Protein backbone atom coordinates (compact mmCIF):
# COMPACT_ATOMS: atom_id res chain seq x y z
CA UNK A 1 0.00 0.00 0.00
CA UNK A 2 1.36 3.41 -0.89
CA UNK A 3 0.52 6.75 0.66
CA UNK A 4 -0.39 9.54 -1.76
CA UNK A 5 -1.04 13.32 -1.42
CA UNK A 6 -3.35 15.18 -3.75
CA UNK A 7 -1.18 17.59 -5.79
CA UNK A 8 -3.98 20.19 -6.06
CA UNK A 9 -4.06 20.77 -2.33
CA UNK A 10 -1.95 23.91 -2.64
CA UNK A 11 -4.60 25.58 -4.89
CA UNK A 12 -7.60 25.08 -2.64
CA UNK A 13 -9.23 27.45 -0.20
CA UNK A 14 -8.10 27.53 3.42
CA UNK A 15 -11.32 25.87 4.62
CA UNK A 16 -10.72 22.85 2.36
CA UNK A 17 -9.93 19.63 4.18
CA UNK A 18 -6.98 17.66 2.90
CA UNK A 19 -6.42 14.27 4.42
CA UNK A 20 -3.52 11.99 3.63
CA UNK A 21 -5.16 8.69 2.74
CA UNK A 22 -4.30 5.41 1.22
CA UNK A 23 -5.11 4.63 -2.42
CA UNK A 24 -8.15 2.59 -1.35
CA UNK A 25 -9.84 5.63 0.22
CA UNK A 26 -8.98 8.35 -2.34
CA UNK A 27 -12.13 7.96 -4.42
CA UNK A 28 -14.35 8.40 -1.37
CA UNK A 29 -13.08 11.89 -0.40
CA UNK A 30 -15.01 15.11 -1.13
CA UNK A 31 -12.63 18.00 -0.57
CA UNK A 32 -15.44 20.58 -0.24
CA UNK A 33 -17.49 18.59 2.20
CA UNK A 34 -15.24 16.23 4.06
CA UNK A 35 -17.73 15.56 6.90
CA UNK A 36 -20.30 14.14 4.49
CA UNK A 37 -18.08 11.45 2.98
CA UNK A 38 -15.30 10.76 5.49
CA UNK A 39 -15.30 7.31 7.06
CA UNK A 40 -15.44 6.83 10.82
CA UNK A 41 -12.34 7.79 12.68
CA UNK A 42 -11.68 4.29 14.00
CA UNK A 43 -11.43 2.98 10.39
CA UNK A 44 -9.20 5.76 9.06
CA UNK A 45 -6.65 6.29 11.83
CA UNK A 46 -5.09 2.82 11.72
CA UNK A 47 -4.28 3.38 8.01
CA UNK A 48 -2.97 6.98 8.04
CA UNK A 49 -0.01 8.93 9.33
CA UNK A 50 -0.61 11.92 11.56
CA UNK A 51 1.17 14.64 9.57
CA UNK A 52 0.86 17.17 12.40
CA UNK A 53 2.57 15.13 15.15
CA UNK A 54 4.87 13.12 12.90
CA UNK A 55 4.14 9.92 14.85
CA UNK A 56 3.39 6.67 13.06
CA UNK A 57 0.13 4.87 13.82
CA UNK A 58 -0.45 1.19 14.47
CA UNK A 59 -1.02 0.11 10.87
CA UNK A 60 1.96 2.13 9.65
CA UNK A 61 4.23 0.51 12.24
CA UNK A 62 3.21 -2.98 11.23
CA UNK A 63 3.95 -2.22 7.58
CA UNK A 64 7.38 -0.83 8.51
CA UNK A 65 8.14 -3.93 10.55
CA UNK A 66 7.21 -6.16 7.65
CA UNK A 67 9.41 -4.11 5.28
CA UNK A 68 12.34 -4.27 7.69
CA UNK A 69 12.10 -8.04 7.85
CA UNK A 70 12.05 -8.23 4.09
CA UNK A 71 15.14 -6.03 3.79
CA UNK A 72 17.03 -8.16 6.31
CA UNK A 73 15.99 -11.31 4.47
CA UNK A 74 17.32 -9.85 1.20
CA UNK A 75 20.70 -9.23 2.78
CA UNK A 76 20.52 -5.48 3.24
CA UNK A 77 23.45 -3.90 5.03
CA UNK A 78 23.12 -3.41 8.75
CA UNK A 79 24.75 -0.67 10.73
CA UNK A 80 28.16 -1.44 12.24
CA UNK A 81 28.86 -0.46 15.83
CA UNK A 82 31.65 2.11 16.33
CA UNK A 83 33.81 -0.44 18.18
CA UNK A 84 33.47 -2.93 15.37
CA UNK A 85 34.43 -0.23 12.86
CA UNK A 86 37.64 0.45 14.78
CA UNK A 87 38.49 -3.26 14.90
CA UNK A 88 37.86 -3.58 11.16
CA UNK A 89 40.06 -0.54 10.50
CA UNK A 90 42.92 -1.99 12.60
CA UNK A 91 42.63 -5.31 10.74
CA UNK A 92 42.68 -3.56 7.38
CA UNK A 93 45.82 -1.61 8.32
CA UNK A 94 47.59 -4.74 9.54
CA UNK A 95 46.71 -6.59 6.33
CA UNK A 96 48.01 -3.68 4.28
CA UNK A 97 51.31 -3.69 6.20
CA UNK A 98 51.83 -7.45 6.22
CA UNK A 99 50.37 -8.38 2.85
CA UNK A 100 48.39 -11.25 4.40
CA UNK A 101 45.68 -11.59 6.99
CA UNK A 102 46.86 -11.42 10.62
CA UNK A 103 46.46 -15.18 11.24
CA UNK A 104 48.23 -16.12 8.03
CA UNK A 105 50.94 -13.59 8.80
CA UNK A 106 51.61 -15.18 12.19
CA UNK A 107 51.80 -18.60 10.58
CA UNK A 108 54.19 -17.33 7.94
CA UNK A 109 56.46 -15.83 10.61
CA UNK A 110 56.39 -19.09 12.56
CA UNK A 111 57.29 -21.06 9.43
CA UNK A 112 60.25 -18.76 8.70
CA UNK A 113 61.54 -19.15 12.28
CA UNK A 114 61.22 -22.91 12.06
CA UNK A 115 63.10 -22.92 8.76
CA UNK A 116 65.93 -20.85 10.21
CA UNK A 117 66.18 -23.15 13.23
CA UNK A 118 66.19 -26.23 10.99
CA UNK A 119 68.89 -24.71 8.77
CA UNK A 120 71.05 -23.93 11.79
CA UNK A 121 70.66 -27.47 13.11
CA UNK A 122 71.45 -29.12 9.77
CA UNK A 123 74.40 -26.80 9.20
CA UNK A 124 75.95 -27.64 12.54
CA UNK A 125 75.44 -31.33 11.89
CA UNK A 126 77.08 -31.04 8.45
CA UNK A 127 80.03 -29.03 9.79
CA UNK A 128 80.69 -31.58 12.53
CA UNK A 129 81.26 -34.34 9.95
CA UNK A 130 84.11 -32.60 8.13
CA UNK A 131 84.86 -29.40 6.29
CA UNK A 132 86.50 -30.52 3.04
CA UNK A 133 83.34 -29.98 0.98
CA UNK A 134 82.59 -26.65 2.70
CA UNK A 135 85.46 -24.94 0.90
CA UNK A 136 83.96 -25.69 -2.53
CA UNK A 137 80.97 -23.46 -3.23
CA UNK A 138 79.29 -25.82 -5.69
CA UNK A 139 79.48 -28.75 -3.28
CA UNK A 140 78.29 -26.61 -0.38
CA UNK A 141 75.32 -25.32 -2.35
CA UNK A 142 74.38 -28.80 -3.51
CA UNK A 143 74.57 -30.28 -0.01
CA UNK A 144 72.61 -27.43 1.50
CA UNK A 145 69.88 -27.81 -1.14
CA UNK A 146 69.64 -31.56 -0.48
CA UNK A 147 69.19 -30.93 3.24
CA UNK A 148 66.61 -28.22 2.53
CA UNK A 149 64.67 -30.51 0.20
CA UNK A 150 64.47 -33.27 2.83
CA UNK A 151 63.28 -30.82 5.49
CA UNK A 152 60.74 -29.17 3.19
CA UNK A 153 59.26 -32.52 2.18
CA UNK A 154 58.79 -33.39 5.85
CA UNK A 155 56.69 -30.21 6.17
CA UNK A 156 54.25 -31.45 3.50
CA UNK A 157 55.96 -29.88 0.45
CA UNK A 158 53.47 -27.03 -0.21
CA UNK A 159 53.86 -25.60 -3.71
CA UNK A 160 53.30 -21.98 -2.71
CA UNK A 161 56.18 -20.17 -4.38
CA UNK A 162 56.16 -17.32 -1.86
CA UNK A 163 56.39 -19.74 1.06
CA UNK A 164 59.25 -21.55 -0.66
CA UNK A 165 61.13 -18.29 -1.17
CA UNK A 166 60.60 -17.06 2.40
CA UNK A 167 61.41 -20.32 4.16
CA UNK A 168 64.23 -21.15 1.75
CA UNK A 169 65.98 -17.86 2.43
CA UNK A 170 65.63 -18.38 6.20
CA UNK A 171 66.95 -21.95 5.97
CA UNK A 172 69.89 -20.75 3.84
CA UNK A 173 70.81 -18.05 6.35
CA UNK A 174 70.74 -20.48 9.26
CA UNK A 175 72.67 -23.17 7.41
CA UNK A 176 75.42 -20.90 6.09
CA UNK A 177 75.76 -19.18 9.44
CA UNK A 178 76.28 -22.56 11.09
CA UNK A 179 78.97 -23.67 8.62
CA UNK A 180 80.73 -20.32 8.74
CA UNK A 181 79.99 -19.11 5.19
CA UNK A 182 77.28 -16.44 5.51
CA UNK A 183 76.36 -13.72 3.03
CA UNK A 184 75.51 -15.76 -0.07
CA UNK A 185 72.32 -15.14 -2.04
CA UNK A 186 71.61 -18.76 -3.01
CA UNK A 187 68.00 -19.81 -3.40
CA UNK A 188 67.24 -23.34 -2.17
CA UNK A 189 64.69 -25.12 -4.37
CA UNK A 190 63.03 -28.38 -3.23
CA UNK A 191 63.93 -30.50 -6.27
CA UNK A 192 63.92 -34.28 -6.41
CA UNK A 193 65.46 -34.35 -9.92
CA UNK A 194 68.72 -32.97 -11.27
CA UNK A 195 68.53 -29.70 -13.18
CA UNK A 196 70.82 -27.84 -15.58
CA UNK A 197 70.62 -24.66 -17.63
CA UNK A 198 71.52 -23.88 -21.24
CA UNK A 199 72.35 -20.25 -22.04
CA UNK A 200 71.44 -19.45 -25.66
CA UNK A 201 73.39 -16.66 -27.36
CA UNK A 202 71.76 -16.52 -30.80
CA UNK A 203 70.00 -13.25 -29.97
CA UNK A 204 73.05 -11.58 -28.42
CA UNK A 205 75.21 -11.68 -25.30
CA UNK A 206 74.57 -8.22 -23.89
CA UNK A 207 73.51 -9.50 -20.47
CA UNK A 208 75.60 -12.69 -20.31
CA UNK A 209 77.42 -11.87 -17.08
CA UNK A 210 74.24 -10.89 -15.22
CA UNK A 211 72.41 -13.98 -16.54
CA UNK A 212 75.18 -16.24 -15.21
CA UNK A 213 75.05 -14.48 -11.85
CA UNK A 214 71.34 -15.25 -11.54
CA UNK A 215 71.78 -18.87 -12.59
CA UNK A 216 74.54 -19.26 -9.99
CA UNK A 217 71.95 -18.65 -7.28
CA UNK A 218 69.99 -21.78 -8.28
CA UNK A 219 70.85 -25.39 -7.35
CA UNK A 220 71.86 -26.44 -10.88
CA UNK A 221 74.13 -29.33 -11.72
CA UNK A 222 75.76 -27.37 -14.54
CA UNK A 223 75.33 -24.25 -16.63
CA UNK A 224 76.12 -24.75 -20.33
CA UNK A 225 76.98 -21.60 -22.30
CA UNK A 226 76.97 -22.08 -26.07
CA UNK A 227 79.10 -19.49 -27.87
CA UNK A 228 79.75 -19.30 -31.58
CA UNK A 229 81.27 -16.85 -34.01
CA UNK A 230 84.54 -16.35 -32.09
CA UNK A 231 83.36 -13.64 -29.66
CA UNK A 232 86.37 -13.23 -27.37
CA UNK A 233 84.73 -10.88 -24.87
CA UNK A 234 81.76 -13.19 -24.37
CA UNK A 235 84.12 -16.12 -24.00
CA UNK A 236 86.06 -14.27 -21.30
CA UNK A 237 82.89 -13.40 -19.40
CA UNK A 238 81.60 -16.97 -19.57
CA UNK A 239 84.86 -18.46 -18.33
CA UNK A 240 84.98 -16.02 -15.43
CA UNK A 241 82.05 -17.89 -13.88
CA UNK A 242 83.38 -21.03 -12.15
CA UNK A 243 80.11 -22.93 -12.61
CA UNK A 244 79.80 -22.33 -16.36
CA UNK A 245 80.58 -25.05 -18.87
CA UNK A 246 81.51 -23.17 -22.06
CA UNK A 247 80.97 -24.69 -25.50
CA UNK A 248 82.61 -22.46 -28.10
CA UNK A 249 82.79 -22.78 -31.89
CA UNK A 250 84.59 -20.40 -34.25
CA UNK A 251 81.87 -20.62 -36.90
CA UNK A 252 78.49 -18.93 -36.61
CA UNK A 253 75.57 -21.25 -35.96
CA UNK A 254 72.16 -20.97 -37.50
CA UNK A 255 69.54 -19.28 -35.40
CA UNK A 256 68.43 -21.42 -32.41
CA UNK A 257 71.02 -24.12 -33.19
CA UNK A 258 72.65 -23.42 -29.82
CA UNK A 259 69.63 -25.01 -28.14
CA UNK A 260 70.35 -28.35 -29.80
CA UNK A 261 74.06 -28.11 -28.94
CA UNK A 262 73.35 -27.37 -25.26
CA UNK A 263 70.74 -30.13 -24.99
CA UNK A 264 73.27 -32.62 -26.38
CA UNK A 265 75.86 -31.66 -23.78
CA UNK A 266 73.76 -31.90 -20.62
CA UNK A 267 72.29 -35.11 -19.20
CA UNK A 268 70.14 -33.70 -16.39
CA UNK A 269 66.51 -34.62 -15.75
CA UNK A 270 65.44 -30.99 -16.23
CA UNK A 271 66.95 -28.54 -18.73
CA UNK A 272 66.21 -24.83 -18.37
CA UNK A 273 66.75 -22.75 -21.52
CA UNK A 274 67.44 -19.02 -21.01
CA UNK A 275 68.65 -16.20 -23.25
CA UNK A 276 71.91 -14.30 -22.82
CA UNK A 277 70.39 -10.97 -23.87
CA UNK A 278 67.72 -10.56 -21.18
CA UNK A 279 68.13 -10.94 -17.42
CA UNK A 280 65.45 -13.03 -15.72
CA UNK A 281 65.91 -13.18 -11.95
CA UNK A 282 66.39 -16.49 -10.20
CA UNK A 283 63.13 -15.98 -8.31
CA UNK A 284 61.25 -15.92 -11.62
CA UNK A 285 62.98 -19.06 -12.87
CA UNK A 286 62.11 -21.21 -9.84
CA UNK A 287 58.49 -21.90 -10.98
CA UNK A 288 59.84 -23.45 -14.20
CA UNK A 289 61.99 -25.87 -12.21
CA UNK A 290 59.21 -26.72 -9.77
CA UNK A 291 56.69 -27.41 -12.54
CA UNK A 292 59.14 -29.67 -14.39
CA UNK A 293 60.05 -31.44 -11.15
CA UNK A 294 56.33 -32.04 -10.50
CA UNK A 295 55.99 -34.03 -13.74
CA UNK A 296 55.56 -31.56 -16.61
CA UNK A 297 57.54 -32.42 -19.75
CA UNK A 298 57.39 -28.91 -21.17
CA UNK A 299 57.03 -25.67 -19.18
CA UNK A 300 56.34 -22.64 -21.38
CA UNK A 301 56.42 -19.00 -20.42
CA UNK A 302 52.99 -17.36 -20.58
CA UNK A 303 53.42 -14.31 -22.83
CA UNK A 304 49.89 -14.22 -24.28
CA UNK A 305 48.44 -11.78 -21.68
CA UNK A 306 50.96 -9.20 -22.87
CA UNK A 307 49.62 -9.33 -26.43
CA UNK A 308 46.30 -7.67 -25.66
CA UNK A 309 43.22 -8.29 -27.79
CA UNK A 310 43.49 -10.63 -30.76
CA UNK A 311 43.26 -7.98 -33.45
CA UNK A 312 46.41 -6.35 -32.05
CA UNK A 313 48.43 -9.56 -32.12
CA UNK A 314 51.46 -9.74 -34.36
CA UNK A 315 51.53 -12.12 -37.29
CA UNK A 316 54.02 -14.31 -35.43
CA UNK A 317 51.74 -14.69 -32.42
CA UNK A 318 48.74 -15.59 -34.59
CA UNK A 319 50.72 -18.27 -36.41
CA UNK A 320 51.93 -19.76 -33.13
CA UNK A 321 48.40 -19.80 -31.71
CA UNK A 322 47.09 -21.52 -34.85
CA UNK A 323 49.77 -24.22 -34.55
CA UNK A 324 48.66 -24.98 -30.99
CA UNK A 325 45.00 -25.03 -32.03
CA UNK A 326 45.71 -27.43 -34.90
CA UNK A 327 46.94 -29.97 -32.34
CA UNK A 328 43.94 -29.46 -30.06
CA UNK A 329 45.73 -27.25 -27.51
CA UNK A 330 43.77 -24.00 -27.68
CA UNK A 331 44.59 -23.47 -24.00
CA UNK A 332 48.24 -22.78 -24.88
CA UNK A 333 47.19 -19.79 -27.03
CA UNK A 334 50.33 -18.15 -28.49
CA UNK A 335 52.84 -19.70 -26.07
CA UNK A 336 55.60 -21.81 -27.62
CA UNK A 337 59.14 -23.11 -27.13
CA UNK A 338 60.40 -20.39 -29.45
CA UNK A 339 60.23 -17.94 -26.53
CA UNK A 340 62.84 -18.04 -23.73
CA UNK A 341 62.89 -18.99 -20.93
CA UNK A 342 61.31 -22.42 -20.93
CA UNK A 343 62.09 -25.82 -19.45
CA UNK A 344 62.11 -29.32 -20.94
CA UNK A 345 62.38 -32.66 -19.23
CA UNK A 346 65.08 -35.10 -20.25
CA UNK A 347 62.37 -37.50 -21.34
CA UNK A 348 60.92 -34.94 -23.77
CA UNK A 349 64.34 -34.21 -25.26
CA UNK A 350 65.02 -37.91 -25.77
CA UNK A 351 61.64 -38.49 -27.43
CA UNK A 352 61.82 -35.70 -30.01
CA UNK A 353 65.61 -35.65 -30.36
CA UNK A 354 67.93 -32.82 -29.40
CA UNK A 355 68.51 -31.86 -33.04
CA UNK A 356 64.85 -30.86 -33.47
CA UNK A 357 65.29 -28.09 -30.89
CA UNK A 358 67.16 -26.03 -33.48
CA UNK A 359 63.77 -25.55 -35.19
CA UNK A 360 61.37 -24.33 -32.45
CA UNK A 361 58.22 -24.65 -34.59
CA UNK A 362 58.96 -28.27 -35.47
CA UNK A 363 59.89 -28.99 -31.86
CA UNK A 364 56.56 -27.53 -30.69
CA UNK A 365 54.67 -29.68 -33.20
CA UNK A 366 56.55 -32.82 -32.14
CA UNK A 367 55.96 -32.16 -28.45
CA UNK A 368 52.21 -31.69 -28.97
CA UNK A 369 51.93 -34.58 -31.44
CA UNK A 370 53.50 -37.04 -28.99
CA UNK A 371 51.07 -36.05 -26.26
CA UNK A 372 53.68 -34.87 -23.77
CA UNK A 373 52.51 -32.91 -20.75
CA UNK A 374 52.80 -29.21 -21.59
CA UNK A 375 52.26 -26.60 -18.88
CA UNK A 376 52.24 -22.82 -18.95
CA UNK A 377 54.04 -20.77 -16.31
CA UNK A 378 53.46 -17.03 -15.93
CA UNK A 379 56.61 -16.21 -14.00
CA UNK A 380 58.53 -14.14 -16.57
CA UNK A 381 55.87 -13.31 -19.13
CA UNK A 382 56.43 -9.56 -19.37
CA UNK A 383 60.20 -9.91 -19.78
CA UNK A 384 59.90 -12.63 -22.39
CA UNK A 385 57.31 -10.62 -24.31
CA UNK A 386 59.59 -7.58 -24.37
CA UNK A 387 62.45 -9.75 -25.56
CA UNK A 388 60.45 -11.36 -28.36
CA UNK A 389 58.96 -8.05 -29.56
CA UNK A 390 62.02 -5.83 -29.84
CA UNK A 391 62.11 -5.86 -33.62
CA UNK A 392 59.85 -3.50 -35.54
CA UNK A 393 59.15 -2.38 -39.09
CA UNK A 394 61.03 -4.30 -41.75
CA UNK A 395 62.72 -6.54 -39.16
CA UNK A 396 59.34 -7.59 -37.77
CA UNK A 397 58.05 -8.31 -41.26
CA UNK A 398 61.08 -10.42 -42.12
CA UNK A 399 60.81 -12.30 -38.84
CA UNK A 400 57.12 -13.04 -39.50
CA UNK A 401 58.03 -14.51 -42.89
CA UNK A 402 60.70 -16.70 -41.33
CA UNK A 403 58.35 -17.88 -38.59
CA UNK A 404 55.61 -18.63 -41.14
CA UNK A 405 58.01 -20.71 -43.20
CA UNK A 406 59.17 -22.65 -40.12
CA UNK A 407 55.57 -23.40 -39.11
CA UNK A 408 54.63 -24.51 -42.60
CA UNK A 409 57.57 -26.91 -42.52
CA UNK A 410 56.44 -28.17 -39.12
CA UNK A 411 52.91 -28.84 -40.39
CA UNK A 412 54.25 -30.54 -43.52
CA UNK A 413 56.52 -32.77 -41.42
CA UNK A 414 53.72 -33.83 -39.08
CA UNK A 415 51.14 -34.30 -41.85
CA UNK A 416 53.46 -36.71 -43.62
CA UNK A 417 52.87 -39.20 -40.82
CA UNK A 418 49.48 -38.15 -39.45
CA UNK A 419 47.51 -37.13 -42.54
CA UNK A 420 46.26 -33.78 -43.71
CA UNK A 421 43.85 -33.36 -40.80
CA UNK A 422 46.40 -34.15 -38.08
CA UNK A 423 44.12 -36.80 -36.54
CA UNK A 424 41.25 -34.30 -36.22
CA UNK A 425 37.89 -35.86 -37.22
CA UNK A 426 35.71 -34.27 -39.90
CA UNK A 427 32.08 -34.31 -38.74
CA UNK A 428 30.61 -31.97 -41.38
CA UNK A 429 31.54 -33.31 -44.81
CA UNK A 430 31.52 -36.76 -46.44
CA UNK A 431 34.89 -36.54 -48.14
CA UNK A 432 34.86 -40.22 -49.15
CA UNK A 433 31.84 -39.71 -51.37
CA UNK A 434 33.25 -36.52 -52.88
CA UNK A 435 36.68 -37.96 -53.72
CA UNK A 436 35.65 -41.54 -54.57
CA UNK A 437 37.26 -43.07 -51.52
CA UNK A 438 40.28 -40.75 -51.25
CA UNK A 439 40.37 -38.47 -48.27
Amino acid sequence: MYEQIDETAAHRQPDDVVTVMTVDNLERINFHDASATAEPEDRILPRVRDSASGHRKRGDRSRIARGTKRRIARGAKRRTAPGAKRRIARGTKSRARGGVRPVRRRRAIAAVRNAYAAGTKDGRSAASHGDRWISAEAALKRRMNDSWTRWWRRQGSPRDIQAILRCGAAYRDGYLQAVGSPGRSWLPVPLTSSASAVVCTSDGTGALYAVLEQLSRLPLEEVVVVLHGGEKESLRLARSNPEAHVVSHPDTFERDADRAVGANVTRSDIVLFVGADTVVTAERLIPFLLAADAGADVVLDDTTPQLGIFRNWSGTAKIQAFLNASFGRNDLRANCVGVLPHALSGRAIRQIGAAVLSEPAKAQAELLHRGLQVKVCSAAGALSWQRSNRSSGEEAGERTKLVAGDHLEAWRHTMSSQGNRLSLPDHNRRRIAATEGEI
Side-chain angles (χ1 to χ4, degrees), residues 1-4 20-22 42-71:
M1 303 293 292
Y2 298 88
E3 295 181 351
Q4 186 171 350
V20 180
M21 298 291 294
T22 62
D42 58 349
R43 293 187 60 186
I44 296 177
L45 288 180
R47 303 174 65 92
V48 303
R49 175 174 178 172
D50 190 350
S51 57
S53 61
H55 296 295
R56 302 181 185 275
K57 301 303 181 178
R58 288 174 297 172
D60 209 6
R61 292 174 183 173
S62 63
R63 288 194 300 276
I64 292 174
R66 289 195 298 271
T68 303
K69 292 179 180 179
R70 286 194 296 269
R71 286 193 297 273

Side-chain angles (χ1 to χ4, degrees), residues 263-429:
N264 267 323
V265 172
T266 181
R267 293 293 181 268
S268 298
D269 300 325
I270 303 170
V271 182
L272 179 66
F273 294 87
V274 298
D277 61 333
T278 302
V279 180
V280 181
T281 61
E283 288 83 358
R284 290 177 176 268
L285 295 174
I286 288 179
F288 292 89
L289 299 175
L290 292 176
D293 188 63
D297 294 304
V298 185
V299 186
L300 303 176
D301 193 17
D302 189 11
T303 60
T304 306
Q306 311 297 329
L307 300 176
I309 59 177
F310 183 77
R311 68 181 180 184
N312 293 335
W313 286 17
S314 63
T316 301
K318 293 178 181 179
I319 295 172
Q320 292 167 347
F322 185 65
L323 176 68
N324 293 330
S326 65
F327 286 94
R329 291 302 304 269
N330 295 297
D331 57 303
L332 297 179
R333 298 181 289 181
N335 304 313
C336 65
V337 294
V339 178
L340 299 174
H342 64 263
L344 298 177
S345 67
R347 184 170 75 98
I349 295 176
R350 289 189 296 270
Q351 284 198 21
I352 68 174
V356 181
L357 296 178
S358 60
E359 303 178 59
K362 186 181 292 186
Q364 179 92 354
E366 284 292 321
L367 292 169
L368 298 178
H369 164 58
R370 295 178 182 273
L372 298 176
Q373 184 178 353
V374 182
K375 185 177 180 181
V376 174
C377 176
S378 59
L383 295 175
S384 300
W385 177 79
Q386 293 173 2
R387 175 184 179 277
S388 60
N389 285 272
R390 287 176 178 173
S391 58
S392 59
E394 293 184 1
E395 294 183 3
E398 292 297 327
R399 177 168 175 77
T400 301
K401 292 179 181 179
L402 291 174
V403 170
D406 293 342
H407 282 70
L408 288 175
E409 180 62 28
W411 274 309
R412 187 180 297 110
H413 173 75
T414 309
M415 288 178 180
S416 63
S417 59
Q418 292 298 310
N420 294 336
R421 295 193 59 80
L422 297 177
S423 301
L424 297 175
D426 187 359
H427 299 292
N428 297 326
R429 288 174 283 188

Side-chain angles (χ1 to χ4, degrees), residues 111 114-115 118 122 147-155 167 171:
N114 293 338
D122 292 344
S147 300
W148 152 256
T149 301
R150 289 192 296 269
W151 181 82
W152 186 252
R153 290 178 68 85
R154 289 197 298 269
Q155 310 307 311
C167 296
Y171 186 95

Side-chain angles (χ1 to χ4, degrees), residues 224-275:
V224 180
V225 182
V226 183
L227 295 174
H228 54 92
E231 297 183 10
K232 296 182 179 180
E233 181 63 20
S234 299
L235 183 61
R236 185 188 65 81
L237 289 175
R239 287 179 174 174
S240 65
N241 190 298
E243 299 184 19
H245 179 192
V246 182
V247 178
S248 179
H249 197 279
D251 298 332
T252 302
F253 294 160
E254 294 182 1
R255 182 182 178 87
D256 299 322
D258 46 6
R259 305 185 186 192
V261 175
N264 267 323
V265 172
T266 181
R267 293 293 181 268
S268 298
D269 300 325
I270 303 170
V271 182
L272 179 66
F273 294 87
V274 298

Side-chain angles (χ1 to χ4, degrees), residues 202-219:
S202 294
D203 293 323
T205 58
L208 178 60
Y209 185 81
V211 170
L212 292 177
E213 286 293 319
Q214 292 299 319
L215 293 177
S216 299
R217 301 174 61 196
L218 298 174

